[in-house]
Amino acid sequence: MKHILLFILLFTASISYAQKYTISGYVKDASTGEVLIGASIFIVGTNNGTFTNYYGFYSISLEKGNYQVEYSYLGYTTTTNFVNLTANKTQNIELSESVEKLQTVVVSAEARDKNVSSTEMGTQALQMAEIKNIPVLFGENDVLKTIQLMPGVKSAGEGNSGFFVRGGGADQNLVLLDEAPVYNASHMLGFFSVFNGDAIRDVKLYKGNMPAEYGGRLSSVLDIKMKEGNMKSYHATGGIGLISSRLAIEGPIIKDTSSFIIAARRTYADMFLVFAKDTNLKKTKLFFYDLNLKTNYTFNENNRLFVSGYFGRDIFKFQEMFGTDWGNATGTVRWVHLFSPKIFLNSTFVYSSFDNVISVNSGVANIDLKMGINDISIKEDFQWYANTKNTVKFGFESIYHTFNPGELTTDMEGVEISIDRKYALETGLYISNEQSLNDFIKLKYGIRFSTFNIMGPGTTYTYNDDHEITDSAEYKGKTFIKSYPALEPRFAGTFRINASSSIKAAYTRNNQYVHLIQSSTVSLPMDYWIPSTELTPPQICSQYSLGYFRNFKENIYESSIELYYKDLDSQIDYENGTNVFLNPNVESYLVFGEGRSYGAEFLIKKSAGTLTGWIGYTLSKTEKKFKELNNANWFPTRYDRTHDVSVVAMYDVNKRLQISATWVFSTGDAITFPSGSYEIEEFTVNYYTERNGYRMPNYHRADLGVTYKVNKSERYSSNLNLSIYNVYNRKNPYMIYFEPKDEKNPKELQAVKVTLFPALPSITWNFSF
Amino acid sequence: MKHSKIYTISILILALLPFLLTNCEEVMKDFELKKTQAQIVIDAQCSSFTNTAIVKITKTGDYMNPGEYPKVSDAIVTLSFNDTTIVLPEEFPGEYYKYHNFPENTLYTISVTIDSKVYTAQSFMPKKVELTNLSYRVSEYSSYMQTYPGELFYVSKMEFLDPQNETNYYRIKITKNDTLFKSANDILLTDDIYFNSDTIEYEPFYFFKTNDRVTFEFMSIDKANYLYYTTLVQAMTSTGNFSVPDNPTSNFTGKVLGRFIAYSSDTLSIRISE
């Protein structure tokens, strides 16, 4: 209750009623007509300024008078307008890309200090242009792999697109594609992410200090926005690589009013299998494809409609024996409406589904196991530019989840197993205000009221310690079985020391109501989601963070130090020996414990000039404790990597040639190895003493990329990209196993490491016209 | 499924990187595991099929040098059921035996005293479930046909009637020509949550040739031992790389490894002819 009171006090104190007028509008890219997110609007000679929101909209209120308004965006030429403000004014601005990329330095000093001035911390924003320059495995640009190079973000393993934020689990990241949640963001064992670089425009990662409009996951929000499609002319971009090709087409449907983009991608690694000697491999199928679609229509200045969708599948088939087929589908319909220059409304309808089918032919029967989740949701987000000092956001979100924890069908008569589907309604109601108290202090405070309701039809069970059902209750459809309401306060504050440095602090509390049940850490699609129920409480996280931000040399260099501490509750694990598949009583095997994660993140970034890039370093620790596991002692999580370094550099040699390089280093994963062995019956059994008590060897690797622009004309450009993964051929172990030193003498073992990728070159030809 | 998983992963990786089929393996010379204090291991069994109780007591050994496990002598081992208590004498160092007519459908309690520390465990010996049939047929499994063209491979099928109104736990042991299949993946386990009270046919993925003598031993075990074997398989097959392994869940009280099992079983044998 204290939080609410404080909130209301702050909020009411902040609204003032001076006679003011508003300048508002959209900032767009002059060549494509697409909106620019986070473009800076600055009133020269004052301390007033703002940024375009997620939809490219800005609004700023000023007293009557003459103003010089400066619009800027990284990589674009800054535009200055003179405004005589005597009434509310709409000013849509189009910015052009800087002709000479080498001179992108020409960006107004005041406007580029967002890093220091905003209340955001623990946040990383990336533009696709930046991501495309970073060398990666197989030459496939990848949003998720670039995110992993940021401090506080860790990769799930060699070549893997899975990521972990500040010690959080893989299922604690909310990944949004055009506001639709993506439940499994990886293709092909995690070597690729589901995000096709040609269809993506902007990426923003919140490492825990998520604003009140986001909720439902403990550890991060990765907000990915698809391109809208060129409003001016038709274009195609694409690439042909060693194991995949892609093509995107975009253009206006009605010039400056409506546009579309279609992007498709397909891998063909399995085509090489035809050359394999082994007949079993010959018949193996392994590929994925995905498709992004988006279209929009501008009715008038005040109304825009967007429709977008994603569809992707992974197919794997090993002979006639085993196969999997999994994928995501998302759809978003969004209506952006301006009530007035000061009130902005975004209404969204979202559909998202993830399902996977595992097929096994046992020789006797064909067995299909299907698991999945799907969501239908509506969302209303208001943004009210109350005055120059206050920007208020409020709205609600309501998601109807359907969980399918497992359905087994066979072609044998009468053999069918299905675990009851579960249904839930998740809602969030939020309000927040970003307030400039004075020239030094800026605050952002808000609260989210979330509820999770498990709904009928369904049966609930009570279990004894032996996992036997002792009682059950039947619920009809549309009834509420169990509700979890929670208040989630969010707070962030910035104290500006001077023009180039600030101190920030933040507190965030989050609840998570959906949980991933995993067989292992490999991204095999054998994972499924379950809701919080009477037996499974929501996961809870409180995060405290403190940071020092400092820019140098007119904001060309950004630097920051952030400290965080996370307190986690109701973390989920399983009892030893739990079978998670098709187990109707899986909930009775779950164990709940606590977690703690803390660390320091250092970042220096240079974002302009011929040499750009960043150096990130994270020092951190993540531990968990369960009554039932590891003798109730704290143990490190697998991805508790004490030291984590990433260096990213991109250098423009000349107009045609660009070189980029990355280097990563991290402490080895925590892992459980045996500390002895013994005999039971005729078996030799491993003896384990400590959970995650060992460490894999330290991991380090350098990648190199060279991009050569073959030609560039008005209409047509192409480039060749050569990238080398693991340049100095470091043999990082992917796994370690033990085997007899000598076949004849099984009494002496040795450790053997398996490495996945040696120095691995790849070449991709990219084009656009 | 468990067995096929690691296999599947490696196949996936292979399939993904056909041009890199030589994914590299290298011996880690300076790799060392932690030295820990040896722990007592009690392997206690009592069977109505063999009418024997066998208890082997050893200690854990160095992981890198398997096969050398110190025997623990001078333990006092007693077995009680209904109103009877019998003492198991040490017949060989660390091995305690007793022949006795052990009744089924009975709860057994074992007590082991080592250096004045007492370890106890209970196990319920279920009533025997009989095998009703054992048969074989030529396998159509394509992979084998391709690898060994012209040769015939057989699979064998057992049948049993699962008793009504009770939860049963089973382990199946398969022997070919007097050799027991005894890797971790040969610990075949099932409960009956999906097929309670029905005639069940089971045709495991074991291939036999003409003139092979095939024996199925069908063990009825209790729930604690079902859990023990499930976790035993995990402890034996997990490399730690993709999951977090743990010690098998013992039914002994006190800090000790191993378990006590009381089981009944039925066997059927068949010789494969063309």
Side-chain angles (χ1 to χ4, degrees), chain A residues 71-83:
Chain A
Y71 298 88
S72 61
Y73 189 67
L74 180 63
Y76 289 71
T77 310
T78 300
T79 303
T80 308
N81 273 10
F82 293 91
V83 179

Side-chain angles (χ1 to χ4, degrees), chain A residues 138 140 240-245 268-269 272 760-764, chain B residues 19:
Chain A
F138 306 131
E140 283 283 318
I240 295 170
L242 280 183
I243 62 166
S244 80
S245 284
Y268 33 74
F272 292 91
L760 180 63
S762 59
I763 191 158
T764 309
Chain B
F19 36 90

Side-chain angles (χ1 to χ4, degrees), chain A residues 205-507:
Chain A
L205 176 73
Y206 298 92
K207 295 185 289 191
N209 304 312
M210 48 281 266
E213 60 261 38
Y214 298 105
R217 296 290 190 287
L218 295 193
S219 127
S220 78
V221 175
L222 180 65
D223 201 340
I224 297 175
K225 193 171 181 251
M226 271 165 61
K227 277 185 184 169
E228 289 168 4
N230 197 310
M231 283 277 200
K232 315 270 183 188
S233 54
Y234 292 95
H235 290 276
T237 51
I240 295 170
L242 280 183
I243 62 166
S244 80
S245 284
R246 41 182 228 281
L247 180 68
I249 298 167
E250 58 181 318
I253 298 171
I254 303 165
K255 204 176 173 194
D256 287 325
T257 301
S258 175
S259 66
F260 75 95
I261 178 166
I262 297 178
R265 189 165 61 145
R266 162 79 152 90
T267 56
Y268 33 74
D270 56 340
M271 291 183 186
F272 292 91
L273 294 177
V274 179
F275 305 112
K277 280 192 193 125
D278 188 338
T279 47
N280 293 339
L281 273 181
K282 246 181 199 170
K283 285 189 185 168
T284 298
K285 276 187 194 167
L286 177 79
F287 66 90
F288 74 78
Y289 60 90
D290 52 27
L291 195 65
N292 292 75
L293 296 162
K294 190 162 178 175
T295 178
N296 67 84
Y297 188 85
T298 307
F299 292 93
N300 51 42
E301 275 306 316
N302 296 333
N303 292 287
R304 281 189 87 182
L305 185 73
F306 298 84
V307 179
S308 60
Y310 164 84
F311 183 80
R313 297 295 301 174
D314 272 68
I315 312 285
F316 167 63
K317 206 168 176 202
F318 179 63
Q319 302 175 38
E320 305 295 305
M321 200 171 104
F322 177 85
T324 64
D325 172 352
W326 82 96
N328 298 282
T330 72
T332 308
V333 179
R334 220 175 73 205
W335 173 46
V336 174
H337 175 68
L338 281 179
F339 286 102
S340 79
K342 288 187 169 190
I343 301 181
F344 179 97
L345 169 66
N346 180 59
S347 306
T348 322
F349 173 82
V350 166
Y351 171 82
S352 173
S353 91
F354 167 69
D355 75 282
N356 68 77
V357 182
I358 298 165
S359 309
V360 181
N361 182 344
S362 70
V364 181
N366 290 308
I367 300 163
D368 280 348
L369 173 61
K370 190 175 174 177
M371 296 173 280
I373 181 170
N374 80 58
D375 282 6
I376 294 172
S377 67
I378 51 167
K379 229 175 115 188
E380 297 290 339
D381 299 295
F382 289 89
Q383 199 164 344
W384 175 34
Y385 297 86
N387 51 46
T388 37
K389 304 281 183 211
N390 294 278
T391 305
V392 180
K393 288 182 178 180
F394 57 98
F396 77 90
E397 178 180 26
S398 190
I399 310 167
Y400 185 72
H401 301 282
T402 306
F403 299 85
N404 175 8
E407 252 171 33
L408 184 133
T409 50
T410 65
D411 54 6
M412 271 155 55
E413 208 179 314
V415 183
E416 258 175 36
I417 301 163
S418 100
I419 311 297
D420 288 347
R421 285 178 180 230
K422 289 206 162 77
Y423 307 91
L425 184 69
E426 181 174 0
T427 57
L429 198 65
Y430 71 90
I431 182 162
S432 71
N433 183 27
E434 183 158 10
Q435 179 181 9
S436 300
L437 282 187
N438 51 43
D439 287 351
F440 307 104
I441 298 176
K442 206 188 255 184
L443 301 175
K444 189 169 185 176
Y445 42 90
I447 197 152
R448 185 177 174 94
F449 176 62
S450 66
T451 52
F452 190 78
N453 307 289
I454 270 287
M455 295 180 66
T459 312
T460 60
Y461 301 98
T462 11
Y463 297 91
N464 62 15
D465 290 344
D466 281 335
H467 313 289
E468 289 159 353
I469 297 168
T470 52
D471 200 4
S472 71
E474 193 95 31
Y475 292 87
K476 289 202 177 101
K478 313 274 184 303
T479 49
F480 285 39
I481 297 172
K482 170 84 187 170
S483 293
Y484 284 106
L487 279 178
E488 303 174 4
R490 313 281 168 92
F491 170 83
T494 302
F495 175 73
R496 190 142 187 184
I497 301 166
N498 55 40
S500 61
S501 62
S502 65
I503 292 174
K504 302 184 189 183
Y507 168 76

Side-chain angles (χ1 to χ4, degrees), chain B residues 78-97:
Chain B
T78 60
L79 183 64
S80 358
F81 53 98
N82 300 335
D83 295 329
T84 315
T85 298
I86 54 174
V87 177
L88 275 62
E90 187 172 2
E91 301 285 350
F92 301 99
E95 300 187 9
Y96 306 77
Y97 287 84

